Amino acid sequence: MRPTRARNCPGSLGLDTERGAAAPRLAQPLRGVFGALAPCWQAPLRPWLASAAFDELASFVDARRAAGHCIYPPQPLAALLATAPEQVRVVILGQDPYHGPGQAHGFAFSVPEGVRPPPSLRNICRELERDIDGGAAAAPPQRLLRWPGQGVLLLNTVLTVEQAQPGSHAGRGWELFTDRLIALLAGAPGPRAFLLWGAQAQSRRAAIDVAAAAGDTRPLVLCANHPSPLSARRPPIPFIGCGHFSQTNRYLQAAGIPPIDW
């Protein structure tokens, strides 16, 4: 989808109408965002950062930002800043960030504390309640905030979006970057789980298999429909009832790795 009309934001903030407060948005050139990455991520990504594909992506995002469009999240690489490559035990792959003010903060499916959970996140909480909590109590949406510290990489295939325009930055180069990330992690030593939610995420399955074939351990790859209300309970693989959280923990424990405290 190509971006349409501008949705201008004053200064570096967009208006969060739900909370009556200013919602952060991307406020620096994309090269500056990548410059904040730790050397452990910079080194394997250096060829891509020097490529024409990255130049095109950076030029596009910077031009949209300079034109006054609200671009979310304020830090697109927050998930990489929170977890080093060697610490990643689980990759949860989505599509693109939430497009409402104040929702996206660089971790796929998650929202900052205090923000009302979008429908997809509410369905993730329902599956947590069913799969992990045994239906005992409603899973609070802020549970996702504790996952990155345990080696769970919450990654979208596209890492920026414009306000109220889902998919607006798809096909602009982010997919090439996240494909490189996925291949890097799939081929790295040690057991690792990939949870692919939705068709866009599942389109990366072949790349994971190819990269993993050169590694020392075959990763666990689990697929389900996107947790959106449009697909969460529908065939072919309903998200509600998929059991990905418990399956991942069984896989990690069988490999001698502590389970995730979901």
Side-chain angles (χ1 to χ4, degrees):
M1 178 189 299
R2 289 184 176 273
T4 54
R5 63 185 180 88
R7 296 179 181 269
N8 295 325
C9 301
S12 63
L13 299 173
L15 181 64
D16 182 344
T17 54
E18 179 180 325
R19 294 186 295 168
R25 66 176 177 108
L26 181 63
Q28 63 174 315
L30 200 60
R31 286 192 179 277
V33 172
F34 276 87
L37 283 178
C40 56
W41 285 114
Q42 291 266 7
L45 295 172
R46 193 167 291 124
W48 187 80
L49 293 171
S51 70
F54 176 62
D55 288 341
E56 291 174 7
L57 172 63
S59 296
F60 168 74
V61 174
D62 291 349
R64 299 298 291 176
R65 183 178 61 84
H69 296 265
C70 286
I71 297 176
Y72 304 130
Q75 174 45 273
L77 304 182
L80 302 186
L81 296 175
T83 310
E86 64 274 12
Q87 296 172 331
V88 176
R89 296 188 286 163
V90 181
V91 179
I92 296 180
L93 193 61
Q95 45 189 43
D96 66 343
Y98 296 126
H99 54 85
Q103 294 179 319
H105 65 143
F107 298 92
F109 298 107
S110 176
V111 295
E113 192 164 2
V115 174
R116 181 182 178 184
S120 293
L121 180 52
R122 293 200 293 271
N123 277 335
I124 292 171
C125 292
R126 290 187 180 101
E127 178 59 14
L128 281 168
E129 178 186 347
R130 189 205 65 82
D131 187 29
I132 298 297
D133 300 336
Q142 60 266 29
R143 276 172 64 161
L144 274 68
L145 299 175
R146 72 191 189 199
W147 296 356
Q150 302 179 71
V152 178
L153 187 67
L154 296 170
L155 183 70
N156 281 310
T157 54
V158 175
L159 301 187
T160 54
V161 71
E162 292 179 22
Q163 182 177 321
Q165 297 185 54
S168 50
H169 287 197
R172 294 292 185 168
W174 277 121
E175 296 90 344
L176 298 175
F177 170 66
T178 50
D179 282 353
R180 183 173 287 269
L181 276 181
I182 292 164
L184 169 69
L185 294 169
R192 197 163 283 106
F194 289 83
L195 280 51
L196 311 182
W197 296 347
Q200 191 167 330
Q202 289 164 31
S203 69
R204 272 65 190 175
R205 170 124 199 204
I208 292 171
D209 290 342
V210 169
D216 64 352
T217 306
R218 187 163 187 82
L220 174 70
V221 181
L222 300 176
C223 297
N225 290 358
H226 193 277
S228 161
L230 297 176
S231 57
R233 298 181 184 274
R234 295 182 178 179
I237 312 174
F239 178 81
I240 302 297
C242 68
H244 283 188
F245 303 111
S246 59
Q247 289 182 68
T248 296
N249 276 353
R250 287 195 295 271
Y251 167 79
L252 294 173
Q253 289 177 295
I257 296 174
I260 302 298
D261 180 12
W262 300 110

